Amino acid sequence: LDTAQAHFARALEIDPTLTMTHKNIRYLTLNRPGLNPDETFDLYRDLARRSAASSFPFKFDARPAANGRALRIAYVSSDFRMHVVGLNILPLIENHDPSAVELFFYSDVAQEDQITQRFKACAKSWRSILGLSDAEAAATIRSSSPPIPATACCVLLRATR
């Protein structure tokens, strides 16, 4: 694991925009024995800093806070299904207080299943972005006057592009 971590770190030194390398480091970090929560947090914070420095072409305008209105959060993922990411974040999603948090989902799921249905049951809004280009997906999210666009635990990576 240490060798893999060193190779991934070197790849990011060469090209910090390598999305799959960021994903691989996050996955590796979750599976490294002996890391304490502070070390894991520091690794994720460093990855977030590097990701922010890379050239992500889509920008979303800041939205003013609405006093008295529920926090609106958008999740974007291809993992709203029977998948390790979906299974890991589903308890978080299902335990949001709907009077305090409104959830919006932008799904790139090709084949929905019973886990997808559980995500949908929590959604104020559900939109499929399956088959859209990254630019079209960003435009869809932007045009729907979304809440805070967030990937949180779900990172939308389209390996087929």
Side-chain angles (χ1 to χ4, degrees):
L1 293 176
D2 290 336
T3 302
Q5 181 78 30
H7 286 292
F8 290 142
R10 178 68 182 126
L12 289 179
E13 287 173 14
I14 295 168
D15 184 353
T17 67
L18 295 173
T19 305
M20 287 304 293
T21 303
H22 286 273
K23 181 180 180 182
N24 288 335
I25 291 174
R26 286 191 300 270
Y27 181 76
L28 179 69
T29 300
L30 288 174
N31 292 287
R32 285 189 73 181
L35 282 183
N36 68 46
D38 289 335
E39 292 169 317
T40 302
F41 177 79
D42 289 343
L43 283 170
Y44 270 73
R45 184 175 45 199
D46 182 55
L47 282 172
R49 181 187 50 74
R50 289 182 193 206
S51 292
S54 68
S55 58
F56 183 71
F58 309 110
K59 302 295 182 209
F60 294 90
D61 297 327
R63 301 264 161 67
N67 293 332
R69 190 175 75 187
L71 175 64
R72 302 171 78 207
I73 302 173
Y75 288 94
V76 182
S77 182
S78 59
D79 298 330
F80 300 131
R81 59 188 171 87
M82 181 66 75
H83 182 275
V84 66
V85 172
L87 294 172
N88 276 304
I89 68 162
L90 186 58
L92 169 77
I93 300 299
E94 289 181 324
N95 284 291
H96 279 306
D97 176 356
S99 68
V101 180
E102 295 176 349
L103 301 177
F104 296 73
F105 293 86
Y106 298 88
S107 173
D108 197 38
V109 173
Q111 187 169 358
E112 296 183 0
D113 58 23
Q114 71 273 15
I115 300 299
T116 308
Q117 298 310 311
R118 288 174 62 186
F119 278 105
K120 283 184 168 183
C122 299
K124 176 170 178 83
S125 173
W126 181 277
R127 289 190 180 204
S128 175
I129 56 171
L130 186 65
L132 300 181
S133 69
D134 290 341
E136 291 168 329
T140 297
I141 295 167
R142 193 180 300 111
S143 71
S144 64
S145 188
I148 302 165
T151 53
C153 302
C154 303
V155 177
L156 179 62
L157 297 173
R158 297 174 174 181
T160 59
R161 295 194 188 153

